[in-house]
Amino acid sequence: MSLRKAVLQRITPLPSRTPSPSLPHEWPQSPDVEPIFPDLALPREPEPDEHIATRSKSPELMSPNGVVKRWRVNIADHAASLPSELATVSLGSSVNRDSDLWFDDGNIVLLCRESAFRVYRGLLTRHSVIFRDLFSMAQPSTSETMESCPVVHISDPPEDLRYLLRVLCGLRRFPVIPGERMEFAELAALVRMSHKYHVEDLHARAMHHLKLYFTNDLSVWDTAGIDGNLFLHITPPDAIAAVNLARLTHADSVLPTALYLCCQLDAELAAGVERPDGPTERLDPKDLELVLRGRTELVRASTRGACTICRPTPSAQCASKGCERALREILGMMLDGLQKDPIGDIAGYAALDSWEHWIEDVVELWPLCEPCRAMLHARDLDVRRDVWKRLPQYMGVAVDDWKDPTAPAAPSASK
């Protein structure tokens, strides 16, 4: 394929979200606080009144770290699965001990489908009032037992419960350090489970990691890659689960970028994404409608951006008389491409992608002076900043703390 033909078809530029080789100086850091669970290795039974203060918090209020406290699960749903009479569960072929989460001195067994976890009651109740309520129903005289331990049935997917227990029991370091990337499935499970069981500290850390990728800040977005960032490995279909997590946790700032990435998907939008041992992740019909409408807005934004970048006005510092003519020819090539393929690479859904590689290809065919070449790159940045500013509007959501990259920087405080 000739270079001119390649330019006419607009070779898809390299994604702007390329992985960053090192942690940027301005990268948002985790709150500088003590470890989440400093004494995990020393499980103990809770004091009699240990949870009174926790339970007295109003479930309708927001904590200082932004965690929504409307998480009280219906204990009756779990109680319905408990037998009314004493029973003993044997570790037969249908029940498997978890290889990592079966402690010989554990004092309660969580039975999740065919997986059994023998853990420490006091450790879990220390961090979750929901576990405390569940365990209070599992008295030795009224519940099932397994190896003399009360059994509590858990309805969550076993892998989700495993991810949660590994953190609570000190088998998994979290938050992860830069470069130690965790899979999105693990992070999503920690968000869901810490939300459901009201593990506030863990939930705050998990949401922090989620928002480092699905961010409200263009400068942070640009330091990540299409496969994640220094903390997280992600695949494009994971955007569907990200939308659902944002809805679950009322994290509105996650929605614009998550919905934007959903706009780039194809078959997954209709079929959903299967989770290994859980339900298929699908968008709610209302969110699917937002994606379809958002695609229209993104095509319009891409078209406007292409025409803005190729506007046939040379730089004020132009050093060549041929630049104006070259810019007109570039614009003509662009319009010809739009006419041949109205929703293609030029006017596609990836309105946030940079045109920098396309610009470098173009100037090989139509040589421009250095000021005009720099002008095209500056226009590219301005176009992307404008798309980012309007992204919540394009996606049909309202975000109070969305960062506008076109706004003038706030003046520094005088000393």
Side-chain angles (χ1 to χ4, degrees):
M1 178 184 295
S2 67
L3 179 59
R4 183 179 182 83
K5 186 176 181 181
V7 173
L8 287 175
Q9 294 182 0
R10 186 188 172 200
I11 301 175
T12 303
L14 295 176
S16 60
R17 309 197 71 191
T18 53
S20 175
S22 61
L23 186 64
H25 175 71
E26 67 276 7
W27 190 279
Q29 300 296 318
S30 299
D32 189 16
V33 296
E34 296 295 323
I36 305 175
F37 309 117
D39 52 354
L40 289 179
L42 300 173
R44 60 174 176 78
E45 293 294 332
E47 298 299 328
D49 297 328
E50 182 175 352
H51 298 284
I52 293 179
T54 303
R55 300 193 68 189
S56 65
K57 297 176 183 177
S58 171
E60 302 298 327
L61 299 179
M62 297 284 289
S63 67
N65 59 20
V67 179
V68 180
K69 294 190 175 181
R70 297 176 61 186
W71 300 344
R72 298 302 299 274
V73 297
N74 187 353
I75 303 301
D77 292 343
H78 295 275
S81 64
L82 295 175
S84 58
E85 298 179 356
L86 179 64
T88 300
V89 179
S90 62
L91 282 173
S93 58
S94 61
V95 177
N96 303 309
R97 293 183 183 183
D98 187 87
S99 58
D100 293 328
L101 292 161
W102 185 272
F103 301 102
D104 292 337
D105 59 342
N107 53 12
I108 197 160
V109 172
L110 305 184
L111 189 57
C112 191
R113 300 179 188 173
E114 293 81 27
S115 298
F117 307 88
R118 185 171 179 175
V119 290
Y120 304 103
R121 174 175 181 155
L123 178 65
L124 300 188
T125 58
R126 186 187 314 168
H127 300 294
S128 168
V129 67
I130 305 301
F131 275 131
R132 177 186 181 278
D133 289 343
L134 284 175
F135 296 165
S136 67
M137 304 176 66
Q139 300 299 326
S141 61
T142 60
S143 71
E144 296 174 297
T145 61
M146 181 182 293
E147 297 191 5
S148 302
C149 293
V151 172
V152 172
H153 290 255
I154 302 294
S155 60
D156 302 289
E159 193 66 17
D160 282 10
L161 182 60
R162 185 176 292 109
Y163 284 134
L164 176 66
L165 294 178
R166 282 176 58 83
V167 173
L168 295 181
C169 294
L171 302 182
R172 174 67 159 118
R173 179 171 55 188
F174 188 80
V176 297
I177 60 176
E180 184 185 343
R181 304 170 79 196
M182 69 188 309
E183 294 298 322
F184 181 82
E186 180 179 2
L187 178 62
L190 291 177
V191 171
R192 283 191 297 268
M193 297 295 280
S194 63
H195 178 274
K196 178 176 180 178
Y197 291 99
H198 203 167
V199 186
E200 285 194 53
D201 289 343
L202 175 57
H203 186 74
R205 297 298 194 276
M207 291 302 298
H208 178 76
H209 273 55
L210 183 68
K211 292 178 180 180
L212 281 179
Y213 188 80
F214 297 96
T215 177
N216 63 349
D217 189 335
L218 178 60
S219 63
V220 177
W221 172 266
D222 283 343
T223 61
I226 56 175
D227 64 341
N229 55 28
L230 291 172
F231 304 93
L232 181 67
H233 177 260
I234 194 170
T235 62
D238 290 331
I240 294 176
V243 171
N244 294 334
L245 291 175
R247 295 299 189 188
L248 174 69
T249 60
H250 307 285
D252 292 340
S253 67
V254 170
L255 287 171
T257 50
L259 289 168
Y260 170 80
L261 292 180
C262 285
C263 289
Q264 320 305 317
L265 301 177
D266 293 318
E268 298 90 348
L269 283 178
V273 179
E274 292 187 6
R275 287 165 49 189
D277 59 358
T280 300
E281 288 280 2
R282 289 188 174 88
L283 288 178
D284 182 85
K286 293 182 179 179
D287 285 326
L288 181 58
E289 183 179 354
L290 292 179
V291 169
L292 297 179
R293 291 182 177 180
R295 281 181 163 183
T296 301
E297 296 297 331
L298 292 174
V299 167
R300 292 172 178 169
S302 293
T303 303
R304 287 194 302 268
C307 294
T308 298
I309 292 172
C310 298
R311 188 172 66 251
T313 304
S315 168
Q317 291 79 36
C318 179
S320 172
K321 294 181 179 180
C323 285
E324 183 175 355
R325 179 179 178 180
L327 289 171
R328 290 186 183 279
E329 292 182 1
I330 292 172
L331 177 61
M333 177 273 296
M334 179 74 71
L335 295 176
D336 183 61
L338 286 171
Q339 185 177 9
K340 292 179 179 179
D341 189 5
I343 306 181
D345 289 333
I346 293 176
Y349 306 132
L352 279 173
D353 276 3
S354 174
W355 290 73
E356 58 182 351
H357 300 288
W358 182 88
I359 292 171
E360 292 304 315
D361 289 339
V362 162
V363 297
E364 289 187 21
L365 291 177
W366 291 277
L368 298 174
C369 68
E370 190 58 35
C372 285
R373 177 183 297 197
M375 175 193 68
L376 293 184
H377 285 291
R379 287 177 179 176
D380 172 41
L381 180 58
D382 288 342
V383 165
R384 295 184 65 247
R385 285 173 172 171
D386 185 68
V387 172
W388 184 268
K389 172 185 176 181
R390 303 174 190 273
L391 192 61
Q393 175 186 339
Y394 293 160
M395 297 297 103
V397 295
V399 181
D400 293 335
D401 57 345
W402 193 254
K403 294 187 178 180
D404 179 3
T406 67
S412 58
S414 58
K415 296 182 179 179

